[in-house]
Amino acid sequence: MDLLEGLESLEFEYGMEEEDRSWLYLQGRSRGLMIKACAHATFFCKLLCNLRKSLPKKETSRRPLSRSLDNIPDDDELKVGIIGGGHLGKQLARVLLRLVPIPVQKLRISTRRPEALDEFQKLGIQCFYHNSYLADWANVIFLCCLPSQLSNICSEIQTNLAKACIVYSFVAAVPIPRLKLLLKYNSILRPQYQCFEGFANIWGANKEIVAALQDPVILQATCPYDPAGGITLNIKWLEGVFYAVLNICTAMNMPHPGALQLLNDLFLSVHFEGCEKDGESCPKFKLQDFVSEVYANNLSQERPFPWFDLTAVQLRETPFSQRLLTSTVLQDHLTHRYCDLFGISLTKEQQPVVSTGSPPQ
């Protein structure tokens, strides 16, 4: 319930001079960025949770990659760490707890002021100030800190990151190459958003982020290919998500045919009215989508995928880039899968207009 509805004197814009109202769109933009950032982090964690349930147990007879299995435990549950207990860190924690949902014992927060996180400590979440300990424990680490704090944080955690751990950065002011240099590490994901004017503010003024992401209109606007609300996501982030999943399979020493099957099950399991009943018209991933033709021809059936540098994936063209950008059938299926993970079913008519991350001219 919106307690401020109808109470104009308590609304943000009450009393503003007319010439200042032209800046009100920045409020909607800020909220839209927060909602999209939390939605995409939730989508990523939901994917990883589903993936871990499908992974085989560790095989002691095979030699794992160096440190790559250190943070893939015998249980199936994803362990998530958040560094930073400010506004973004708190909002992200609430969303992950409610919408993934991450169990309280599998979420930990490291912040300079853990005493300010009484809300989460009452739930049973461990809140402390020990970044290296968090890095040693977590499978995914969300960086929700200020740019000025990032250098020290990276120096604290860089030696504690297991190879299969994924660092997910919300520090927009620090680009991927700089982050890679600071961490001396390449399993990094960093979503990049672009804002432009001329779109209605659909993000809602007073809803909590969790409630906003349960609104079908707002949730559809957060789809990776949807430019609604004036905010687009660089689709290279989604490409990085695919290669991150492949790296997790490689960390388990899984033969690449099994990894491809898991990828198909994870991303292409939701169909719509346009799909034929036998599924023959639906897209399927193949080896050449992710590696070069030459590499594919020399990869034996029992070998896993190579280890991918996620920073390079997000900065350069890969074999998967063009298919992700140009295949409308694949885009349709990924959009339906995205909404399905949030509990929303789309009809073909509800399919959003595709955007590749650039605003219209």
Side-chain angles (χ1 to χ4, degrees):
M1 180 183 296
D2 185 357
L3 297 179
L4 299 182
E5 186 175 1
L7 302 176
E8 293 185 5
S9 62
L10 295 180
E11 292 179 356
F12 176 80
E13 57 268 34
Y14 181 78
M16 291 184 68
E17 298 293 336
E18 193 61 36
E19 60 266 24
D20 294 330
R21 289 181 175 269
S22 61
W23 298 103
L24 280 175
Y25 78 95
L26 292 174
Q27 182 190 26
R29 174 181 292 184
S30 175
R31 179 172 170 79
L33 284 168
M34 177 74 73
I35 291 174
K36 279 211 168 190
C38 289
H40 298 151
T42 301
F43 171 68
F44 180 62
C45 287
K46 281 176 174 285
L47 286 173
L48 293 193
C49 287
N50 289 347
L51 173 67
R52 294 170 73 84
K53 293 174 184 177
S54 304
L55 286 173
K57 297 298 181 182
K58 293 181 186 178
E59 296 183 31
T60 56
S61 60
R62 292 183 177 179
R63 181 182 178 185
L65 299 176
S66 175
R67 282 207 79 204
S68 61
L69 293 183
D70 289 359
N71 67 341
I72 299 184
D74 291 326
D75 63 78
D76 294 329
E77 291 182 305
L78 182 70
K79 295 187 295 187
V80 175
I82 297 175
I83 295 181
H87 182 56
L88 175 57
K90 290 176 183 177
Q91 292 287 4
L92 179 63
R94 294 183 188 115
V95 171
L96 296 181
L97 285 169
R98 290 280 302 278
L99 299 184
V100 176
I102 299 292
V104 293
Q105 66 272 20
K106 299 299 180 181
L107 176 65
R108 297 179 185 177
I109 304 173
S110 179
T111 176
R112 293 181 300 173
R113 296 183 59 230
E115 68 277 5
L117 300 181
D118 185 59
E119 166 194 349
F120 299 103
Q121 294 184 30
K122 287 179 179 178
L123 296 175
I125 295 171
Q126 293 189 37
C127 302
F128 45 77
Y129 182 35
H130 201 320
N131 295 329
S132 60
Y133 169 75
L134 185 74
D136 197 52
W137 172 82
N139 307 126
V140 178
I141 297 172
F142 289 100
L143 298 179
C144 302
C145 59
L146 296 173
S148 60
Q149 301 167 341
L150 189 62
S151 181
N152 287 336
I153 289 172
C154 289
S155 65
E156 290 172 355
I157 70 175
Q158 61 182 226
T159 59
N160 298 86
L161 295 168
K163 189 168 185 176
C165 179
I166 297 168
V167 177
Y168 193 116
S169 177
F170 286 115
V171 188
V174 180
I176 292 174
R178 175 63 176 163
L179 192 56
K180 180 181 181 179
L181 184 65
L182 290 172
L183 281 172
K184 299 180 174 62
Y185 192 72
N186 60 42
S187 290
I188 299 168
L189 286 177
R190 178 180 171 272
Q192 298 183 61
Y193 301 99
Q194 186 171 3
C195 303
F196 49 97
E197 300 180 38
F199 278 72
N201 178 12
I202 62 170
W203 304 109
N206 300 306
K207 283 184 179 179
E208 291 288 337
I209 304 296
V210 171
L213 289 176
Q214 294 172 314
D215 182 322
V217 174
I218 294 177
L219 190 278
Q220 288 179 46
T222 69
C223 290
Y225 288 104
D226 198 325
I231 301 172
T232 59
L233 169 69
N234 188 325
I235 215 64
K236 293 295 286 183
W237 170 84
L238 184 58
E239 197 171 335
V241 169
F242 274 89
Y243 281 95
V245 170
L246 290 178
N247 277 352
I248 293 173
C249 294
T250 298
M252 295 295 295
N253 209 16
M254 182 184 297
H256 69 268
L260 286 171
Q261 184 58 53
L262 275 178
L263 213 60
N264 284 314
D265 293 342
L266 195 63
F267 288 96
L268 303 177
S269 58
V270 177
H271 307 284
F272 49 91
E273 294 92 330
C275 298
E276 296 178 4
K277 291 182 179 180
D278 57 8
E280 289 300 319
S281 64
C282 297
K284 296 290 181 185
F285 298 122
K286 58 184 185 299
L287 180 59
Q288 290 83 354
D289 286 332
F290 302 100
V291 297
S292 68
E293 194 78 34
V294 173
Y295 191 96
N297 291 337
N298 289 281
L299 190 63
S300 61
Q301 289 294 302
E302 67 275 6
R303 291 288 303 280
F305 275 96
W307 189 265
F308 297 105
D309 180 338
L310 299 187
T311 62
V313 166
Q314 293 167 88
L315 293 171
R316 308 172 193 161
E317 289 292 303
T318 72
F320 194 45
S321 298
Q322 283 305 306
R323 187 175 184 197
L324 202 57
L325 284 172
T326 61
S327 173
T328 56
V329 174
L330 177 59
Q331 292 166 3
D332 287 350
H333 280 77
L334 293 178
T335 297
H336 279 74
R337 177 56 170 158
Y338 178 90
C339 292
D340 178 74
L341 282 173
F342 285 91
I344 293 178
S345 298
L346 294 180
T347 64
K348 184 66 175 177
E349 291 70 26
Q350 291 174 305
Q351 187 73 31
V353 177
V354 167
S355 168
T356 59
S358 299
Q361 299 299 315

